[in-house]
Amino acid sequence: MEIKRPLSKQPIPPDAKKVFHGVIFDVYQWQQKLFDGSYQMFEKLKRPDTVLILAVTEDRKIISSYQEQPGKESFRGLVGGRVDEGETPLEAAKRELREESGYESDDWTLFDAIQPVSKIDWTVYTFVAKKCKKTGDQELEAGEKIKLELVTFEEFTDLIFTREFGDAEIKTKFLEAKLDPAKMAELKKLIIG
Amino acid sequence: MEIKRPLSKQPIPPDAKKVFHGVIFDVYQWQQKLFDGSYQMFEKLKRPDTVLILAVTEDRKIISSYQEQPGKESFRGLVGGRVDEGETPLEAAKRELREESGYESDDWTLFDAIQPVSKIDWTVYTFVAKKCKKTGDQELEAGEKIKLELVTFEEFTDLIFTREFGDAEIKTKFLEAKLDPAKMAELKKLIIG
């Protein structure tokens, strides 16, 4: 599977200076030439890419998660997490699926790859992992409490539009499918088909 | 009009330290207690709030913008911009409408207020401004090239789902309305009324 990282609509230019290095975010600044020939300091962030997994069990249930994180409202979503240094997005997706759910899959497809925020150089990759098998226990970090809920495709298409569902990056494709029965059938086939 | 700023789902705690002050973004860090009693450095950004304006002329056309900004793909969207220090969101919306379009309105309603990115303390306020009158010329900055396009409500509901439309924050309400004719009628009444 060849995975291309989508380009930002406002790329950080090569001569930008990294002016801050944080735990998650790095800040870049550069002198941008404006339309009248003057210059202005522009600023953009960079953060590690993340992965989301539409994980489907052998009996065609989608693995949804109910998550608690310290200092944050609890939320529903998919399993997923950050791409670590030196990892490919697919390697990160396989690791996060294993750690957060205890499931593994040999059947991976890229579902979507987007840059959701124009002022952050940050790609969210969403994968479909079919025929997931439980091969072990969850291995959660001290900042994670994750309960899994196995739901049907139809239950999932409702769940993602509830207020407590956090992974906004996948909502657009499902809403578009809701407007068009042919697209919804295609989506269903792609995910649990 | 009373405007409440929506709360972040993961607020920056009062004891967080500002570790970087940028042109747009400030970075905050704090030691977050985890579920096992250990601590981890958490990080979150803060940036000025922004406003978007669904501006409607006296003959019920929506003012859409075609914008060029240095170093960025051109895009369509609404008029809008940052809330300056000391301004209320409504004051910012009135100023941005005047500067970017040359129009003014006496009929303002808050349409939506959301925090679109969980790791940034940042609110996007969207206003409806009805019965807009042209009272002057555009006053653009050196980093802006804005052409205005007056479109019908129906043209607008198509336009916002094209790839080049940038203001993602208003898309969800329009997609939900596309799924439900009663909601669409309500939205149309609210906006061009």
Side-chain angles (χ1 to χ4, degrees), chain A residues 58-185:
Chain A
E58 289 180 294
D59 58 349
R60 314 211 308 170
K61 295 276 170 48
I62 295 173
I63 302 176
S64 167
S65 71
Y66 177 79
Q67 303 205 27
E68 291 175 71
Q69 290 178 8
K72 190 171 173 177
E73 270 182 43
S74 60
F75 59 98
R76 289 194 153 75
L78 297 175
V79 292
R82 284 181 216 164
V83 179
D84 286 341
E85 191 97 34
E87 260 184 341
T88 66
L90 181 57
E91 286 165 354
K94 290 180 176 179
R95 178 182 51 70
E96 288 289 353
L97 176 63
R98 199 176 56 240
E99 290 175 359
E100 293 198 344
S101 75
Y103 282 80
E104 293 186 81
S105 165
D106 289 323
D107 185 347
W108 289 83
T109 327
L110 183 66
F111 178 72
D112 203 8
I114 60 169
Q115 290 245 346
V117 184
S118 68
K119 287 207 184 298
I120 309 178
D121 186 353
W122 165 41
T123 297
V124 181
Y125 299 92
T126 305
F127 292 92
V128 173
K130 287 186 185 170
K131 294 175 200 152
C132 291
K133 285 192 183 83
K134 190 105 165 87
T135 57
D137 293 327
Q138 283 179 320
E139 300 163 32
L140 300 179
E141 292 167 43
E144 296 175 326
K145 277 191 187 177
I146 302 178
K147 268 189 271 181
L148 303 179
E149 299 172 320
L150 302 187
V151 299
T152 65
F153 181 80
E154 285 70 24
E155 287 167 343
F156 184 73
T157 57
D158 289 335
L159 183 61
I160 57 177
F161 299 114
T162 58
R163 191 190 166 279
E164 59 186 356
F165 193 90
D167 295 317
E169 293 79 14
I170 65 160
K171 288 185 188 181
T172 306
K173 281 210 171 187
F174 279 86
L175 255 181
E176 283 167 359
K178 283 213 167 191
L179 291 175
D180 180 346
K183 266 194 193 164
M184 185 58 92

Side-chain angles (χ1 to χ4, degrees), chain A residues 9 20 22-25 29 32-36 43 45 68 70 72-73 117 142 163 175 178-179, chain B residues 9 19-20 22-25 32-36 43 45 68 70 72-73 117 142 163 175 178-179:
Chain A
K9 289 187 186 178
F20 176 78
V23 182
I24 303 173
F25 292 98
Q29 292 181 341
Q32 176 70 50
K33 194 174 186 179
L34 304 183
F35 296 125
D36 65 353
E43 188 173 81
L45 308 159
E68 291 175 71
K72 190 171 173 177
E73 270 182 43
V117 184
R163 191 190 166 279
L175 255 181
K178 283 213 167 191
L179 291 175
Chain B
K9 288 187 185 178
V19 293
F20 176 78
V23 182
I24 304 172
F25 292 97
Q32 175 70 50
K33 193 174 187 179
L34 304 183
F35 295 125
D36 65 354
E43 189 172 81
L45 308 159
E68 291 175 71
K72 189 170 174 179
E73 271 182 43
V117 183
R163 191 190 166 278
L175 256 180
K178 282 212 169 194
L179 292 174

Side-chain angles (χ1 to χ4, degrees), chain A residues 43-57:
Chain A
E43 188 173 81
K44 183 160 169 164
L45 308 159
K46 194 172 161 63
R47 60 153 293 165
D49 291 340
T50 52
V51 293
L52 294 171
I53 303 115
L54 279 161
V56 185
T57 60

